[in-house]
Amino acid sequence: MSIEDERLVPGTDDPDSQDSSRPERSRFFMILWTCMWLVLVLISPIVDFAHRNPGSARLAVATAATIAFAAIYVFATWSVMTENVVWTRRPWIWTAILCAYAVCLIVSFGSDFIGAFLFVGVSAAMMMPERYGPAAVAAVSAVTLATCLAYRVDGSKTAAEVLTIFMLGIAMTWVRRMVVVIHELRKAREQVARLAVNAERSRFAREPSAERL
């Protein structure tokens, strides 16, 4: 077997094969970071709600609903990171689901859960096409402002909520762009590798068999 043939054998001194697990590790750490962030942010409304003495049954339902909301958000994030077909074909679906869920949380359990709109804004920035992302984030910020005013939330807290959602959402539109570029570069790299292998095989097929020995 020639040196060129050995290069075509998978796993023989191929840096790509050695680094094949890197995307999976990146996705794992991204999901891990997302879960930690969810825990830190979503514990606060549950604690505030518990201080209102809603009763053990109602508190349990609110906690379970919040955990379900977090699970949907994590699944949505995973859809982006793994290029799930549902996300690529219907980019608005997870944002719509999270928005409806956030409204249900607020209506059912009060203004303590207005912070759920933060995840709706991030979802809008990550899921929607790039040209619609900023507008979607602005819309979520406006809905958050209207909800805070309707529930007579303190002015400083309202400003903090709205500004946080808007600024973080706009920042996440750049993160989404980076994720899309990384996906496109990886696909281009895979395509170049396939073309190179096909070209090498075609070259060997044209050479006399004696030259390959």
Side-chain angles (χ1 to χ4, degrees):
M1 181 182 292
S2 66
I3 296 176
E4 287 84 1
D5 288 330
E6 291 178 357
R7 289 174 183 171
L8 295 178
V9 178
T12 57
D13 298 329
D14 184 4
D16 290 341
S17 63
Q18 296 174 1
D19 297 338
S20 60
S21 62
R22 287 185 180 179
E24 290 299 328
R25 289 200 299 268
S26 298
R27 291 167 183 169
F28 171 77
F29 285 117
M30 180 67 177
I31 296 301
L32 180 61
W33 180 86
T34 300
C35 291
M36 293 173 62
W37 184 52
L38 277 167
V39 170
L40 291 174
V41 175
L42 292 179
I43 280 180
S44 178
I46 294 175
V47 172
D48 292 340
F49 184 66
H51 287 163
R52 299 178 184 273
N53 298 318
S56 57
R58 188 171 172 79
L59 178 60
V61 172
T63 303
T66 304
I67 293 173
F69 177 84
I72 295 173
Y73 179 81
V74 170
F75 189 80
T77 303
W78 183 254
S79 297
V80 174
M81 297 301 296
T82 58
E83 300 176 274
N84 187 282
V85 175
V86 175
W87 170 68
T88 55
R89 291 184 179 178
R90 301 179 180 86
W92 49 268
I93 189 168
W94 295 121
T95 300
I97 291 173
L98 286 169
C99 185
Y101 207 130
V103 171
C104 290
L105 283 175
I106 296 167
V107 171
S108 300
F109 305 112
S111 61
D112 294 325
F113 292 86
I114 289 178
F117 279 126
L118 174 64
F119 300 98
V120 179
V122 171
S123 173
M126 288 290 291
M127 304 286 177
M128 301 298 290
E130 186 178 1
R131 62 183 181 274
Y132 299 132
V137 171
V140 174
S141 302
V143 171
T144 304
L145 176 60
T147 305
C148 288
L149 293 176
Y151 280 86
R152 301 181 183 278
V153 178
D154 179 72
S156 59
K157 186 176 180 180
T158 296
E161 290 277 3
V162 174
L163 287 176
T164 300
I165 290 172
F166 182 77
M167 295 177 66
L168 185 58
I170 294 300
M172 292 306 293
T173 60
W174 290 94
V175 174
R176 180 196 185 279
R177 179 57 183 165
M178 183 176 64
V179 170
V180 170
V181 169
I182 290 173
H183 288 167
E184 291 174 350
L185 289 175
R186 189 175 70 249
K187 289 179 180 178
R189 183 181 180 185
E190 292 171 354
Q191 180 66 20
V192 169
R194 284 194 297 268
L195 292 174
V197 170
N198 291 336
E200 196 74 2
R201 287 173 177 168
S202 298
R203 185 173 69 84
F204 284 127
R206 291 193 300 268
E207 290 180 353
S209 59
E211 295 181 3
R212 283 183 260 162
L213 298 176

